Amino acid sequence: MDNIKVLVVDDSILMRRMISDMINEAKGMEVIDTAKNGLELIEKINMLNPDVVTLDVEMPKMDGLEVLKVFKERNINTPVIMLSSLSKKGAEITMKCLELGALDFLSKPSGSISLDINRLQDELIHKIRCAGEKKKINKSKSFEVMHKPKVEKSKFSNIERSYGEYKAIVIGASTGGPKAIHSLITSLPKELGIPIFIVQHMPAGFTKAFADRLNNSSNLEVVEASHMSEIINNKVYIAPGGYHMEINNEKKITLNEEPTLWGVRPAVDKLFISASKVYGKGLISVILTGMGRDGAQGTEIIKDAGGYTISEDQSTCTIYGMPKAAYDTGRVDEVLPLHDIPAKLLALLKR
């Protein structure tokens, strides 16, 4: 199998060297070149044809955001992993980058030049492997006739429900999730009549920027959740990075720093399982794009408690990992492409 070819872009020579060393030490991948800014990347991209680009967010001459705009204009589909600082500005720009098509991102622990970034090596390598797989899938799809995504219903599908029986929606996502969640939430009306809880795998420092950008473009109010806050209908709660979000018996949001689950915190399963205990058959769950299997166990528990479960169809997923793991449990009521999920939710709520 050919190595995954990576092009590393950063304005810091030290950072370029550190990132390159991390990648070259990993089996099955290699750095084929580096660039010190976006202009240099644009000059090299077509000639080198990398499988993955690691891209610094803040650079002189042309930053990461401007690069992605050029990629979009020129229909360059190379998967991009952003490297961002933990500053407020860096977080806001990173959210824009994800909306423009960046596959994923990593946070730099402290500023643009930091030896601490070595602790992120495992995460960097894992995300490059996923991005490399995404590139291969895209290449194979270009030779296939693309069919309309099928809608699947499982034998567990619920019978017709009466108006108002569903009391809450829980949503889980990882890689590709910010863009998918934006599409879903902005398609819903202001008077939904129930709360929505979302776990998006994202580090601390970025979920506030994500919630703010979502709130500015949605009919519903979107907030980063806070500990012991009251749950209000027509409000969307985003789990803060670094904290598991759960619902307690008093129907309040609780946040905790218990050990990671599936290597992540917040974890989708933590939210799904706790919400199922509170809402029972009145709960709807949605598993969107993402790597891994977080949310599969929660999906089983929600279905067994009488709730309704949905997973995103492979055709619209950035990474078909979490939705597939949920579907493979046999407890998914319906498999839908992303653009059909809002209408399905409204039908279930009879809005």
Side-chain angles (χ1 to χ4, degrees):
M1 185 180 292
D2 293 337
N3 284 348
I4 298 171
K5 299 181 295 182
V6 185
L7 179 57
V8 174
V9 188
D10 201 292
D11 63 316
S12 162
I13 187 170
L14 175 59
M15 193 63 69
R16 292 198 299 273
R17 186 181 300 125
M18 290 171 63
I19 295 168
S20 296
D21 287 347
M22 290 180 195
I23 295 168
N24 287 327
E25 287 173 7
K27 186 177 180 181
M29 61 184 67
E30 61 178 321
V31 175
I32 56 171
D33 205 348
T34 63
K36 61 180 177 291
N37 57 53
L39 287 175
E40 195 172 317
L41 166 62
I42 297 301
E43 291 172 1
K44 293 182 175 184
I45 188 78
N46 289 328
M47 178 179 65
L48 295 173
N49 191 29
D51 297 312
V52 181
V53 170
T54 68
L55 182 61
D56 191 16
V57 170
E58 299 177 70
M59 298 178 292
K61 295 188 179 179
M62 181 184 283
D63 63 17
L65 190 62
E66 292 301 318
V67 167
L68 290 170
K69 290 177 181 177
V70 173
F71 273 30
K72 194 169 185 178
E73 289 168 4
R74 299 186 184 180
N75 199 29
I76 299 171
N77 297 315
T78 306
V80 175
I81 298 171
M82 310 300 301
L83 272 83
S84 171
S85 69
L86 279 170
S87 67
K88 182 180 178 182
K89 179 184 176 184
E92 290 171 350
I93 295 174
T94 301
M95 293 307 106
K96 293 178 184 177
C97 289
L98 293 174
E99 289 171 15
L100 276 172
L103 180 72
D104 210 335
F105 76 98
L106 290 139
S107 60
K108 294 180 179 179
S110 53
S112 60
I113 300 176
S114 172
L115 296 175
D116 293 339
I117 200 168
N118 281 302
R119 69 181 177 81
L120 297 181
Q121 183 170 8
D122 289 345
E123 188 180 358
L124 174 66
I125 298 310
H126 183 55
K127 291 189 176 185
I128 288 173
R129 290 199 196 285
C130 289
E133 286 300 312
K134 176 70 176 172
K135 179 75 179 287
K136 290 175 185 176
I137 291 169
N138 287 343
K139 282 181 179 177
S140 65
K141 278 184 177 181
S142 65
F143 295 99
E144 299 173 0
V145 178
M146 299 304 292
H147 299 286
K148 184 178 179 181
K150 61 187 176 184
V151 175
E152 297 182 7
K153 273 197 171 183
S154 80
K155 61 184 178 181
F156 294 96
S157 295
N158 296 38
I159 58 173
E160 191 70 18
R161 298 223 180 190
S162 59
Y163 174 82
E165 189 163 347
Y166 290 111
K167 303 299 182 184
I169 296 171
V170 288
I171 299 171
S174 185
T175 309
K179 193 173 182 180
I181 289 168
H182 184 276
S183 173
L184 195 165
I185 297 300
T186 58
S187 299
L188 297 174
K190 185 176 182 179
E191 297 299 326
L192 198 63
I194 62 170
I196 298 177
F197 308 95
I198 298 175
V199 166
Q200 163 66 48
H201 292 166
M202 193 175 282
F206 292 87
T207 43
K208 179 65 165 62
F210 177 47
D212 288 347
R213 285 190 65 79
L214 201 53
N215 183 59
N216 290 336
S217 52
S218 303
N219 297 310
L220 295 159
E221 182 183 359
V222 183
V223 298
E224 184 184 52
S226 56
H227 185 59
M228 296 305 291
S229 60
E230 299 283 349
I231 294 169
I232 300 170
N233 288 340
N234 305 315
K235 199 166 184 176
V236 180
Y237 299 90
I238 307 289
Y243 291 87
H244 292 307
M245 178 171 73
E246 297 180 300
I247 315 299
N248 69 14
N249 291 331
E250 287 74 45
K251 290 191 177 179
K252 289 186 178 181
I253 292 172
T254 63
L255 305 177
N256 67 72
E257 294 180 282
E258 291 173 3
T260 61
L261 183 62
W262 311 113
V264 294
R265 189 176 60 216
V268 178
D269 275 330
K270 287 277 192 178
L271 169 65
F272 279 23
I273 293 168
S274 68
S276 181
K277 292 175 183 177
V278 174
Y279 293 105
K281 67 178 183 179
L283 187 62
I284 302 169
S285 69
V286 182
I287 291 286
L288 299 176
T289 175
M291 64 181 78
R293 59 171 296 104
D294 190 18
Q297 182 185 9
T299 296
E300 288 187 273
I301 290 170
I302 289 170
K303 181 69 262 168
D304 290 345
Y308 198 91
T309 57
I310 298 170
S311 65
E312 184 180 354
D313 188 84
Q314 183 176 4
S315 63
T316 56
C317 283
T318 301
I319 299 289
Y320 188 55
M322 285 166 53
K324 182 181 187 301
Y327 179 74
D328 287 346
T329 66
R331 296 296 201 280
V332 169
D333 283 303
E334 207 154 0
V335 177
L336 293 168
L338 178 63
H339 49 267
D340 287 344
I341 294 176
K344 182 62 187 184
L345 294 177
L346 295 178
L348 289 169
L349 298 174
K350 302 191 184 302
R351 291 290 187 268

